[in-house]
Amino acid sequence: MKKIIVLRRIFLVFAVALTATLVLAGPAHATWQWVHGNSGHIEYKDRFTNDNRFEFGWGLDFNLNSGTFNWVHFAVPTIASTTQGVRYIKVRFYTGSVDAWVSAIHIYDGVNKVKVQEGSWSNGYKTVTVDLGYVRSFTYGLGVSVQIKAGVESMSHRIIFVGAGANFVNK
């Protein structure tokens, strides 16, 4: 009988210790930090048609001149920590036709380029996810630079940026 009482006490101690560990640990930290599309910085302001809309409450909206390219830069709010980092970054945008497209997304930690993703994303609303391959700390600020291009066809060269964001998680 004493053996059963001792085993129950040991089980009770382990159960209390496990419960305390789970309660005190709290939830795992993971949060998306987003910047709104209208905060994008356009590199070449002279490469647009006359019917530009630019910054609105819902995004950055413009028409790129035919046969040109441009860059739009976003500064994503950054959690600068050695215990947190980012693996996935998203860019949300719209292009008005197949003749206006996003051709590259560059990811920066301050002035250091850490990832280049090339593609040809066009014709409607898109959300492009950039996978860094591992959880990486950003100590100098997370920058997202997006290259956009317009062809020479007589189609829409309208581009809207909705936002750019990064998923910060514990390392």
Side-chain angles (χ1 to χ4, degrees):
M1 187 68 166
K2 284 186 176 184
K3 194 174 188 180
I4 292 174
I5 293 173
V6 170
L7 287 176
R8 282 185 182 174
R9 286 183 182 166
I10 292 173
F11 176 75
L12 182 61
V13 168
F14 280 117
V16 169
L18 179 62
T19 302
T21 302
L22 292 174
V23 169
L24 295 175
H29 179 76
T31 183
W32 279 92
Q33 298 288 337
W34 284 93
V35 63
H36 199 273
N38 67 3
S39 65
H41 174 74
I42 300 169
E43 192 162 325
Y44 304 109
K45 293 253 185 190
D46 60 335
R47 296 184 181 177
F48 302 103
T49 61
N50 291 333
D51 58 346
N52 292 328
R53 293 175 190 79
F54 288 110
E55 299 88 4
F56 283 103
W58 42 263
L60 181 63
D61 186 355
F62 54 85
N63 289 298
L64 196 57
N65 285 337
S66 293
T68 62
F69 76 95
N70 213 325
W71 286 91
V72 179
H73 307 284
F74 297 96
V76 177
T78 305
I79 299 172
S81 167
T82 58
T83 61
Q84 294 180 349
V86 173
R87 178 166 180 182
Y88 299 104
I89 297 167
K90 291 186 180 188
V91 179
R92 293 180 180 165
F93 58 89
Y94 165 88
T95 67
S97 71
V98 295
D99 206 41
W101 65 96
V102 169
S103 59
I105 300 172
H106 294 189
I107 309 301
Y108 290 88
D109 181 11
V111 298
N112 304 312
K113 190 183 299 182
V114 298
K115 177 77 175 183
V116 172
Q117 180 139 345
E118 295 181 343
S120 182
W121 302 283
S122 65
N123 204 25
Y125 281 96
K126 305 285 185 216
T127 300
V128 176
T129 302
V130 178
D131 183 355
L132 299 178
Y134 64 97
V135 177
R136 183 187 197 294
S137 293
F138 283 83
T139 55
Y140 301 110
L142 173 56
V144 178
S145 295
V146 183
Q147 185 179 48
I148 53 177
K149 293 185 178 180
V152 295
E153 301 297 325
S154 59
M155 301 176 146
S156 171
H157 296 129
R158 182 179 183 191
I159 298 176
I160 299 172
F161 281 100
V162 178
N167 189 21
F168 285 85
V169 297
N170 288 334
K171 289 178 101 177

